[in-house]
Amino acid sequence: MTFKLQNSVNQQVKLPEELGVELFVKREDTIHPFVSGNKYRKLKYNITEAQKSGCKTLLTFGGAYSNHIAAVASAGQISGFKTIGVIRGDELANKIDSNPTLRYAKQCGMTFKFISRTLYREKTSEEFLNNLKEEFDDFYLVPEGGTNHLAVKGCEEILTSEDASFNYICCAVGTGGTISGLINCSDPSQEVLGFPALKGDFLKQDISKFAIKNHWKLITDYHFGGYAKINEDLVAFINQFKNDYDIPLDPVYTGKMMFGILDLIEKNYFPKGSRILVIHTGGLQGIDGMNAVLKKKNLPIIK
């Protein structure tokens, strides 16, 4: 995959000294303007594999404001692939131009197939995939969210030797690929903490499919009601954090994670002297879509 990347830097979040911990953010969101953070990491080896296989088309799945859909569309355009997005919600077919994520993906050349939410649940079934092959011929399948063993391999490259001095590695969790890569490449003396954006404990099983070490745990108290759920407190936190530290956060993943980390620090979860590294996984393109939802509800927006 031919990309011109910026190196991610560890930016310090200067906390009051009396809290007794050091907090840094690895700015993976800055490595590429459109395929940023964990999306680049997850797609890197998948696109290499697609090139080796001779496929000319990437096909994947996602929702209305999916970071993954936007990233695949952009990465496909850069790498010379046609792209197909199977989109959850057939009512979105007439709303492409009013949806910032779908509009961007369309500009990158992505073709869409809109399906009902009921049918979308069948996306991994053999029958459903065979129907897609009949409709679109040969394609390289990138799973929803991008997570597979090649994605985990890419995410194993997030940490560097300079990160060995941190006691805790923290990241938001969606499908489990990013945290699996971080677990595999982290030192056993470090603890990897995942902050799921979804309700439920099922992610433990998904992560265990890929993680080869066991120095990790999930913190499940900061999902704000479930995937893509948001309230005024979270919006206010994201805006204040950006104002205080000049670090933008997204409302689905990194905003909830950072809210949780700072809350845990206040509650003395981390021992004094701890050094904490937070992985910023990007996802900022989704802010426009979330703001559209917030405006409809007459709620404050993310600045």
Side-chain angles (χ1 to χ4, degrees):
M1 187 161 62
T2 305
F3 279 78
K4 185 176 182 181
L5 295 180
Q6 299 290 329
N7 292 326
S8 61
V9 298
N10 293 343
Q11 181 176 340
Q12 186 171 13
V13 175
K14 293 192 176 182
L15 301 175
E17 288 187 14
E18 59 266 25
L19 292 174
V21 301
E22 291 183 280
L23 182 65
F24 289 79
V25 178
K26 182 175 280 293
R27 297 294 305 276
E28 286 280 291
D29 59 305
T30 64
I31 63 176
H32 190 274
F34 304 113
V35 193
S36 69
N38 63 341
K39 296 309 176 189
Y40 169 80
R41 305 294 185 182
K42 287 181 174 183
L43 288 171
K44 177 181 177 180
Y45 290 109
N46 273 289
I47 285 183
T48 299
E49 184 65 24
Q51 291 168 332
K52 287 180 181 178
S53 71
C55 284
K56 305 297 183 184
T57 302
L58 306 176
L59 182 143
T60 196
F61 308 89
Y65 301 112
S66 167
N67 297 320
H68 177 66
I69 287 292
V72 170
S74 183
Q77 183 183 51
I78 294 169
S79 303
F81 285 91
K82 295 179 181 178
T83 55
I84 299 168
V86 181
I87 307 299
R88 181 180 65 249
D90 46 10
E91 77 281 0
L92 297 169
N94 297 320
K95 300 178 181 179
I96 295 173
D97 292 333
S98 62
N99 178 300
T101 300
L102 298 179
R103 183 172 65 243
Y104 172 73
K106 178 183 176 182
Q107 290 168 352
C108 291
M110 177 171 274
T111 298
F112 300 116
K113 178 178 176 64
F114 296 92
I115 61 175
S116 69
R117 284 164 171 75
T118 301
L119 185 57
Y120 193 83
R121 298 189 192 103
E122 306 297 321
K123 63 184 179 297
T124 59
S125 72
E126 184 176 355
E127 180 182 1
F128 184 82
L129 293 175
N130 285 337
N131 288 337
L132 288 177
K133 290 175 183 177
E134 289 183 11
E135 182 174 354
F136 296 111
D137 297 323
D138 190 31
F139 57 78
Y140 182 89
L141 178 65
V142 182
E144 182 182 33
T147 291
N148 56 18
H149 72 283
L150 292 174
V152 173
K153 179 182 177 181
C155 290
E156 290 172 358
E157 298 176 353
I158 293 174
L159 297 180
T160 70
S161 58
E162 296 177 356
D163 302 323
S165 65
F166 291 97
N167 307 107
Y168 295 90
I169 309 296
C170 300
C171 77
V173 181
T175 54
T178 303
I179 191 173
S180 297
L182 291 169
I183 293 165
N184 293 346
C185 70
S186 59
D187 191 276
S189 65
Q190 298 173 314
E191 186 168 13
V192 182
L193 301 179
F195 291 77
L198 301 86
K199 280 184 179 180
D201 245 8
F202 61 93
L203 281 167
K204 287 184 179 179
Q205 185 175 357
D206 293 341
I207 295 166
S208 296
K209 294 176 185 176
F210 299 107
I212 60 175
K213 302 174 185 177
N214 59 11
H215 55 287
W216 60 277
K217 67 184 294 185
L218 297 182
I219 308 293
T220 59
D221 302 324
Y222 299 100
H223 52 66
F224 281 79
Y227 183 73
K229 300 292 185 182
I230 188 172
N231 61 26
E232 292 187 49
D233 290 341
L234 183 59
V235 171
F237 170 80
I238 290 171
N239 287 335
Q240 190 63 51
F241 193 85
K242 173 67 163 61
N243 184 67
D244 291 345
Y245 305 110
D246 196 29
I247 300 176
L249 302 171
D250 85 285
V252 177
Y253 295 104
T254 56
K256 294 179 179 181
M257 169 192 62
M258 190 62 73
F259 184 100
I261 291 168
L262 292 183
D263 188 53
L264 291 175
I265 290 173
E266 291 282 352
K267 294 175 178 176
N268 297 313
Y269 176 90
F270 302 98
K272 299 295 184 183
S274 296
R275 303 188 78 238
I276 306 163
L277 181 64
V278 180
I279 311 302
H280 195 315
T281 50
L284 300 176
Q285 71 83 31
I287 291 175
D288 286 345
M290 182 60 75
N291 277 343
V293 174
L294 292 170
K295 286 178 182 178
K296 288 181 181 178
K297 297 180 178 180
N298 292 316
L299 293 173
I301 65 169
I302 299 164
K303 299 176 183 177

